[in-house]
């Protein structure tokens, strides 16, 4: 309690207002974890962690499943804040206990979140897919072995090609949301770190 004045006082609240409370607390948690692990906290904001996934699928918490807007927003926040698949699985179990079986759009939201978590490990910046094609954009410090990308393209040059220095373009026949997610996960299976 004694040090809370520094975190929430006038001097720090100005910084918090500039970047938002959730990002501020996330940065604070990362700094505390680094100190506990004996590392020097990195003051630079790591924006490369965020993965933008747009698959044009109905991934949401339906209003008829969870009518209360406030609770729905809390659940969205908890889903997006999941740090790993175990956290996400625990949250799904909790939601089933509290609200009943998960509807299809909510299952898709959870699968999409799993894809984001998996993509972070590869250093992927963006995944964008429509009905028949899409692209995967890699960050500048991606962990993907370039030879695995070359191998993927050589094995199937009809469906895969490089576009620029950091984008893999693909074509697919996966109109269904589950099929599209499965296709992209299969692509990630072929990439090596």
């Amino acid at each position: 309690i004694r040090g809370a004045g520094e975190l929430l006082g006038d001097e720090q609240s100005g910084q918090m207002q500039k970047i938002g409370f959730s990002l501020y607390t996330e940065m604070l948690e990362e700094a505390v974890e680094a100190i506990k692990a004996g590392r020097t906290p990195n003051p630079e904001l790591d924006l490369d962690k965020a993965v933008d996934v747009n698959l044009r699928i109905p991934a949401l918490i339906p209003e008829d499943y969870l009518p209360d807007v406030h609770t729905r927003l809390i659940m969205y926040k908890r889903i997006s804040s999941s740090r790993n698949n175990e956290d996400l699985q625990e949250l799904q179990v909790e939601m089933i206990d509290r609200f009943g079986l998960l509807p299809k759009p909510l299952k898709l939201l959870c699968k999409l979140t799993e894809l984001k978590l998996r993509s972070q490990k590869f250093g992927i910046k963006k995944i964008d897919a429509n009905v028949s094609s899409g692209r995967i954009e890699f960050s500048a410090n991606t962990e993907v072995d370039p030879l695995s990308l070359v191998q993927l393209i050589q094995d199937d040059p009809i469906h895969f090609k490089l576009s620029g220095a950091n984008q893999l373009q693909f074509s697919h026949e996966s109109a269904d949301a589950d099929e599209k997610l499965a296709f992209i996960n299969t692509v990630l299976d072929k990439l090596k770190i």
Side-chain angles (χ1 to χ4, degrees), residues 24-187:
Y24 179 82
T25 55
E26 184 179 323
M27 291 172 67
L28 184 62
E29 285 175 16
E30 288 179 13
V32 169
E33 286 176 18
I35 290 170
K36 284 182 178 179
R39 300 186 319 265
T40 303
N42 184 2
E44 297 296 317
L45 180 60
D46 188 9
L47 293 174
D48 286 340
K49 280 185 170 180
V51 181
D52 180 20
V53 178
N54 184 5
L55 303 184
R56 294 165 183 87
I57 60 176
L60 53 92
I61 302 173
E63 190 175 333
D64 59 350
Y65 177 72
L66 196 52
D68 182 50
V69 175
H70 180 69
T71 307
R72 214 167 46 241
L73 288 174
I74 290 171
M75 289 302 157
Y76 275 123
K77 173 68 177 156
R78 290 184 62 195
I79 290 169
S80 68
S81 298
S82 297
R83 293 183 180 259
N84 52 46
N85 286 344
E86 291 78 29
D87 288 351
L88 192 58
Q89 291 293 332
E90 288 176 17
L91 182 57
Q92 289 177 65
V93 169
E94 178 188 332
M95 290 179 79
I96 290 170
D97 285 346
R98 289 177 64 188
F99 311 113
L101 293 175
L102 304 180
K104 175 99 173 162
L106 181 50
K107 288 179 184 176
L108 289 173
L109 179 62
C110 293
K111 288 180 182 180
L112 202 63
T113 304
E114 287 175 5
L115 180 64
K116 285 182 181 183
L117 291 169
R118 186 172 185 205
S119 299
Q120 284 177 349
K121 295 175 185 172
F122 286 103
I124 291 173
K125 187 175 181 179
K126 183 174 188 170
I127 299 175
D128 190 26
N130 58 30
V131 176
S132 61
S133 65
R135 66 187 171 96
I136 298 174
E137 185 177 331
F138 301 94
S139 65
N141 57 353
T142 184
E143 299 289 327
V144 174
D145 178 17
L147 291 176
S148 67
L149 274 173
V150 171
Q151 187 67 46
L152 177 68
I153 294 165
Q154 286 178 344
D155 289 346
D156 192 356
I158 294 172
H159 291 100
F160 299 100
K161 69 177 182 176
L162 283 178
S163 172
N166 67 340
Q167 288 187 20
L168 175 70
Q169 289 189 333
F170 57 85
S171 61
H172 63 90
E173 294 92 28
S174 307
D176 179 66
D178 285 318
E179 290 175 5
K180 196 182 297 186
L181 282 161
F183 173 81
I184 293 172
N185 275 305
T186 302
V187 172

